[in-house]
Amino acid sequence: MKAFFATLALPLLAAAAPAPQATDANPPFSVMAIRSASPIHYMQMNAAGQKFWLGGKTSSYCPTEVVQDCPPGNQTVLAPGGNALDVEVPGGQQVYVAPSGALSFTQAHSANIPPGSAVGGLTYQPGQPWSHYTFNGWGASGFMACPTSDNRWQVFAAMKNATVPSGNVSDCLGFSAMALPYKGEVPAWQYA
Ligand SMILES: *[C@@H]1O[C@H](CO)[C@@H](O)[C@H](O)[C@H]1NC(C)=O
Ligand SMILES: *[C@@H]1O[C@H](CO)[C@@H](O)[C@H](O)[C@H]1NC(C)=O
Ligand SMILES: *[C@@H]1O[C@H](CO)[C@@H](O)[C@H](O)[C@H]1NC(C)=O
């Protein structure tokens, strides 16, 4: 009997525990702001103009003469780990924190990042039920959203010396960046 179980159990265990898939533990993801009882609660984070915003729209580009079937490009998704965008353009697009504190991304076909930026310091923290996206460099504790004159909120590392649109960091709201795993085709050729 014992031998029977042993021979039965081994293949079952092997079947029940497949090699962990990198895409499950470390997926591409979109970001939603959590700050209850505030205007930014549940807002999606959008890439536009090499910066990130709550509100407004994702800005993307696809060279239709080169790419037959352009992805819709209407949703902002970060690549696994959160230090790049999930794009098809060769060379990709890096995500970094500029010296001003602004969460930023590189232009397509350019590796140009301002001197003094924090590169590689963004992290995806898997969790149950929710995973999070954060930045803890420069003594920052995650992210904050700062109001702009065009009714959006710009995303910055939450640090007192950030250079924000209104000129006053007290106008910004710290938020928790919930990371929502993304499944499907790469959502954009490039963000713009
Ligand atoms: C993006 O565009 C596609 C195709 O037009 C549409 O089906 C989808 O609902 C849009 N998604 C978002 C998040 O707007
Ligand atoms: C902001 O403060 C942090 C922490 O003290 C420091 O590391 C960083 O260099 C400062 N940035 C600027 C632009 O002053
Ligand atoms: C920044 O905003 C806070 C809170 O609204 C206010 O108390 C403070 O005086 C402002 N600082 C400046 C320099 O405007």
Side-chain angles (χ1 to χ4, degrees), residues 99-100 138-139 159 161:
S100 65
W138 294 335
M159 49 190 223
N161 57 358

Side-chain angles (χ1 to χ4, degrees), residues 110-127:
S110 166
N112 185 44
I113 290 178
S117 297
V119 179
L122 296 150
T123 50
Y124 172 80
Q125 298 175 330

Side-chain angles (χ1 to χ4, degrees), residues 12-41:
L12 277 181
L13 277 178
Q21 293 195 329
T23 49
D24 291 342
N26 199 16
F29 61 93
S30 62
V31 170
M32 181 184 275
I34 301 297
R35 164 103 188 204
S36 57
S38 85
I40 61 170
H41 197 39

Side-chain angles (χ1 to χ4, degrees), residues 142-166:
F143 300 111
M144 62 185 180
C146 305
T148 66
S149 54
D150 62 356
N151 295 314
R152 294 185 290 179
W153 295 80
Q154 189 178 348
V155 178
F156 285 81
M159 49 190 223
K160 291 195 179 74
N161 57 358
T163 305
V164 304
S166 73

Side-chain angles (χ1 to χ4, degrees), residues 25-100:
N26 199 16
F29 61 93
S30 62
V31 170
M32 181 184 275
I34 301 297
R35 164 103 188 204
S36 57
S38 85
I40 61 170
H41 197 39
Y42 294 148
M43 277 182 133
Q44 283 288 138
M45 187 173 84
N46 294 312
Q50 294 178 254
K51 306 287 182 220
F52 291 87
W53 316 83
L54 305 180
K57 281 188 173 153
T58 291
S59 171
S60 63
Y61 172 76
C62 186
T64 47
E65 71 279 10
V66 183
V67 186
Q68 291 296 312
D69 292 306
C70 287
N74 54 2
Q75 201 182 345
T76 297
V77 177
L78 290 129
N83 286 284
L85 285 160
D86 192 20
V87 290
E88 289 184 356
V89 66
Q93 291 183 282
Q94 277 200 78
V95 177
Y96 62 93
V97 179
S100 65

